[in-house]
Amino acid sequence: MTHSSRPSTEAILTALPALAPYARDAVVLCPERGEPDPRNSSIGGPLLWPSDEPWPECSLPDVDSPDGAPATAMVPVAQIFRRDAPGPWWPADFDLLQILWCPNEHWDPPAQQADISPVVEMRWRRAAEVTNRLTTPPSPSRYDEDGYLPQACTFTARHLTDFPYREELPADLRPQLEELVRATGDGSDVITRVAGWKLGGWPTWHLTYPAVFACGDCGTDLTLLFTMASDAETGVVVGRSGDLRIFTCPADHRHPFQVDLH
């Protein structure tokens, strides 16, 4: 996706100053097929994984294996180093985020996972602590080839300020936002919920009304951490060419995350 038609944050807030309290930092990851190194950020590339840490497996029932056997290795979805995508989503002292998923579609998975989707696993790390890297991670023993084996890509990080969908704003702001959207870009909405592979920002809600997820440990409203988008470059297709999103607790990164399909 190109964001060349999007006005600057300053221009957006000059036109509609009341949007300022709803601004969120975001980094859009623009993927390009490549051969990323384990010590670089990537989508679908090799992970900087400790040799003495078990590789995540999934033994949950899925559409092709009702008993979840044999357990299958998960596959890398994204690896992001803090240096490439700084922002408020990083817990203190961590500089590496790794996301994997089971390359199968699951119905009725555990509550924190999205239905009719891959099951997601996530790790926060300190890259310097990985002194002995796992060089040959296991391959999945069962997998759905249709969209759940991401192609290895490098990416260009595009930093921007994201704004919410109109339904997440007070009623008196919505007409003003709609007018700004109509007057901007190429006729589509380039102001709110910027699409694509994304760290932070606001989630898309084009199929349902906005939902709020509460942290299961402390009750704090979860915020969007990461969006895995359907696109041709990575070969990922989730749902009906939608997004799989990870929401996390802003109070404590150790609290359970929530995955949502949209």
Side-chain angles (χ1 to χ4, degrees):
M1 174 184 178
T2 177
H3 305 107
S4 58
S5 60
R6 190 175 196 259
S8 68
T9 300
E10 292 75 15
I12 293 171
L13 292 179
T14 297
L16 188 51
L19 271 182
Y22 306 95
R24 286 185 181 176
D25 291 333
V27 177
V28 176
L29 314 179
C30 305
E32 183 176 335
R33 295 281 177 91
E35 297 181 359
D37 181 270
R39 294 193 176 274
N40 292 326
S41 296
S42 65
I43 295 173
L47 304 183
L48 184 64
W49 195 270
S51 59
D52 59 353
E53 181 177 323
W55 188 266
E57 292 185 334
C58 180
S59 58
L60 293 172
D62 59 55
V63 293
D64 295 319
S65 182
D67 58 358
T72 185
M74 291 189 165
V75 298
V77 176
Q79 172 167 273
I80 305 167
F81 286 86
R82 187 173 190 153
R83 62 178 183 260
D84 297 321
W89 39 80
W90 289 99
D93 300 328
F94 288 90
D95 61 359
L96 178 58
L97 171 63
Q98 296 172 324
I99 299 171
L100 308 90
W101 66 26
C102 172
N104 295 290
E105 194 168 89
H106 295 270
W107 295 64
D108 298 321
Q112 78 178 100
Q113 301 288 343
D115 199 15
I116 320 176
S117 302
V119 167
V120 173
E121 191 70 36
M122 188 171 69
R123 296 285 191 279
W124 295 103
R125 297 194 189 280
R126 300 175 182 88
E129 293 180 354
V130 185
T131 55
N132 293 307
R133 181 178 65 85
L134 180 66
T135 57
T136 309
S139 298
S141 56
R142 52 185 174 85
Y143 54 87
D144 182 344
E145 294 182 352
D146 189 17
Y148 300 145
L149 295 176
Q151 298 295 313
C153 291
T154 58
F155 62 75
T156 300
R158 187 183 299 271
H159 296 252
L160 51 79
T161 301
D162 203 8
F163 297 96
Y165 184 57
R166 63 180 181 273
E167 298 296 336
E168 295 182 271
L169 294 170
D172 61 328
L173 272 183
R174 296 173 192 174
Q176 300 173 65
L177 175 61
E178 290 173 0
E179 178 58 33
L180 179 60
V181 167
R182 281 195 295 268
T184 306
D186 57 3
S188 60
D189 184 353
V190 296
I191 303 291
T192 74
R193 312 152 295 150
V194 174
W197 290 78
K198 183 170 71 173
L199 263 171
W202 288 88
T204 56
W205 296 109
H206 53 276
L207 296 178
T208 65
Y209 281 102
V212 176
F213 303 107
C215 175
D217 280 9
C218 69
T220 302
D221 288 350
L222 304 183
T223 55
L224 179 64
L225 171 69
F226 193 66
T227 300
M228 295 160 279
S230 299
D231 74 328
E233 199 67 26
T234 63
V236 167
V237 180
V238 290
R240 290 177 288 179
S241 296
D243 295 333
L244 198 66
R245 296 91 63 88
I246 302 174
F247 294 80
T248 56
C249 179
D252 194 327
H253 74 279
R254 295 167 296 186
H255 290 176
F257 59 83
Q258 177 68 49
V259 184
D260 176 69
L261 173 66
H262 193 74

